[in-house]
Amino acid sequence: MKDRCETWKEQLAEAALTGTMTEGLDEHLRTCVTCAFALKGLRARKERMDALLPFVAKGPGPGVDFRARVLDAAAATNERKRTQPWRIWRLAGATAIVAVMLMVGVKWYHRTERTVSQNELAALQKLTEWRAPSDALLATPGQEILRTMPRLGESYLNVPVKKDEEE
Amino acid sequence: MTGACVNALIARAEEQAPEAGFGERVAENQRRVFQIAYSVLGNSADAEEVAQEAFLRAYRNFGSLRDAEKFRAWVNRIVFRLALNRQRGYRRRLARDTAWQSSEARTMVDGAKDAEQQIMLDKLRREIERLPQKLRSVLQLSLVEEMDATEVGAVLGIPAGTVRSRVHTARKLLLEVMK
């Protein structure tokens, strides 16, 4: 196909698929042998494709005993359901037990959950702030110095001296 | 009690039985249901299995599917979904290509052009597989006999107009690649 015919490509495919064409394409085909030939090829391809497409879904069809097999399987399902009615009850029973246990658990949890009163909270706060009287006695003179880190060039020995004592 | 009354009573009892009428529904729908599965799977053994599974599911829900139209629409949707699930399983096992080349498909096209047509059919299936999911599903269902655009739309949850437009697009894409 020539370069100038590229613009007709889309319309050629449409024409091959639908069998209808625009006036412009019709005129072009009268003068362009290449496009007319391309359209002929596309139509032939479309016919081949249309002949094959039904086979994609058709297949050999279900076997002659297909219906009988389905009915047998259905009957077997039915029979199982009839002979094992306890299965559904067992499932229902297990579900009920789990539900009851969950309810009991939730209730028990709520019952044992303690609520702390304001008075108790205040007492606890006091207890955390309490210091034994012996704490002050146990404190060493150097403790205050050790609490701070000396800077570069300083040492722990730079103990500030009270002015009163100097005088 | 007259004979007619007895017959009427038997008929009513049969209608009320859980499996009554199911066999008839299978007979009515089996061909189409098989074709839906076959269009997706391309293998008759798998298509039969999937079709059977779809009918068994329908049987379990037969109480609410006694109406023929309801049954038809329901079973169409279920078999298509089951077939897609199975196909995904195939892909995971990378066995899809060998399934397409099964010998039974070859029996479908007979005559002197058998081999050539078979090659073309295999190529066509491969190209359909390469189509975008939306176009592929619509095309596969549209190829099933007795399935019009409305029914295809009902299975996929899209309007009939969209079905027609997607089929056209799919055919156009196939036409371009089927050289």
Side-chain angles (χ1 to χ4, degrees):
Chain A
M1 197 179 279
K2 294 168 195 170
D3 284 347
R4 67 188 171 85
C5 296
E6 277 292 318
T7 49
W8 296 103
K9 203 177 159 187
E10 184 83 5
Q11 287 194 42
L12 282 174
E14 279 290 334
L17 272 177
T18 59
T20 55
M21 58 178 89
T22 57
E23 267 185 40
L25 179 67
D26 200 20
E27 271 177 34
H28 174 73
L29 287 175
R30 272 187 223 127
T31 55
C32 182
V33 186
T34 320
C35 282
F37 187 71
L39 179 61
K40 207 176 164 187
L42 279 171
R43 278 182 177 151
R45 207 190 297 170
K46 184 239 172 195
E47 270 174 33
R48 275 203 308 272
M49 189 177 81
D50 282 351
L52 283 172
L53 273 173
F55 290 107
V56 172
K58 219 172 186 178
V64 282
D65 59 340
F66 178 77
R67 182 168 167 258
R69 273 190 285 128
V70 170
L71 291 179
D72 281 350
T77 313
N78 218 14
E79 192 58 31
R80 254 201 317 274
K81 217 188 273 177
R82 273 184 202 147
T83 55
Q84 298 176 339
W86 45 268
R87 281 184 70 182
I88 194 147
W89 288 111
R90 200 169 64 173
L91 185 70
T95 314
I97 287 169
V98 169
V100 167
M101 280 172 74
L102 270 173
M103 278 168 66
V104 168
V106 167
K107 235 174 189 175
W108 180 79
Y109 174 79
H110 281 300
R111 195 173 286 175
T112 54
E113 197 182 33
R114 280 197 62 199
T115 48
V116 183
S117 68
Q118 286 296 319
N119 290 344
E120 276 178 311
L121 264 179
L124 279 169
Q125 185 74 24
K126 266 186 185 173
L127 198 63
T128 53
E129 285 167 5
W130 182 81
R131 294 279 178 276
S134 57
D135 276 5
L137 296 170
L138 289 169
T140 57
Q143 223 165 17
E144 191 61 35
I145 305 162
L146 290 171
R147 205 173 283 165
T148 54
M149 284 270 281
R151 289 179 186 170
L152 197 67
E154 288 179 358
S155 79
Y156 285 112
L157 297 172
N158 294 337
V159 182
V161 183
K162 283 182 182 173
K163 281 180 183 175
D164 316 5
E165 287 173 1
E166 278 176 13
E167 283 167 6
Chain B
M1 197 179 279
T2 62
C5 273
V6 172
N7 285 343
L9 278 175
I10 290 170
R12 194 186 289 174
E14 274 178 359
E15 270 171 26
Q16 283 164 357
E19 59 275 8
F22 181 70
E24 200 183 319
R25 292 276 175 277
V26 174
E28 284 165 7
N29 293 278
Q30 62 176 18
R31 190 173 163 73
R32 193 189 59 263
V33 166
F34 173 86
Q35 284 191 3
I36 293 173
Y38 188 82
S39 72
V40 176
L41 297 163
N43 174 291
S44 79
D46 290 331
E48 266 199 28
E49 266 182 43
V50 166
Q52 185 171 328
E53 174 62 25
F55 279 122
L56 282 180
R57 289 193 184 197
Y59 180 74
R60 279 179 221 133
N61 297 293
F62 196 53
S64 57
L65 297 171
R66 286 194 180 275
D67 177 54
E69 281 305 306
K70 219 174 184 180
F71 185 94
R72 186 184 163 104
W74 193 90
V75 87
N76 282 351
R77 268 199 309 275
I78 287 296
V79 75
F80 184 63
R81 212 174 296 161
L82 287 174
L84 283 182
N85 286 348
R86 183 171 281 227
Q87 192 196 32
R88 279 180 203 125
Y90 278 156
R91 281 184 180 153
R92 277 196 289 272
R93 293 195 302 270
L94 296 171
R96 181 102 183 94
D97 289 344
T98 51
W100 276 126
Q101 290 159 9
S102 63
S103 58
E104 66 191 330
R106 292 172 199 283
T107 60
M108 284 311 301
V109 187
D110 53 6
K113 290 177 185 171
D114 181 47
E116 190 194 344
Q117 279 192 319
Q118 191 53 55
I119 291 167
M120 288 299 287
L121 186 58
D122 286 344
K123 185 174 162 51
L124 185 60
R125 280 179 169 148
R126 277 198 303 276
E127 294 303 340
I128 290 174
E129 280 300 299
R130 285 193 193 123
L131 287 175
Q133 172 70 42
K134 278 181 182 177
L135 300 181
R136 188 170 63 233
S137 302
V138 166
L139 185 69
Q140 283 169 336
L141 286 170
S142 302
L143 295 174
V144 174
E145 289 169 353
E146 313 165 28
M147 288 274 279
D148 57 13
T150 315
E151 267 193 299
V152 173
V155 172
L156 299 170
I158 51 174
T162 312
V163 170
R164 282 186 210 104
S165 132
R166 284 186 189 172
V167 168
H168 183 73
T169 313
R171 278 161 55 83
K172 207 163 153 185
L173 286 173
L174 285 178
L175 190 67
E176 281 170 22
V177 290
M178 287 295 292
K179 283 174 186 168

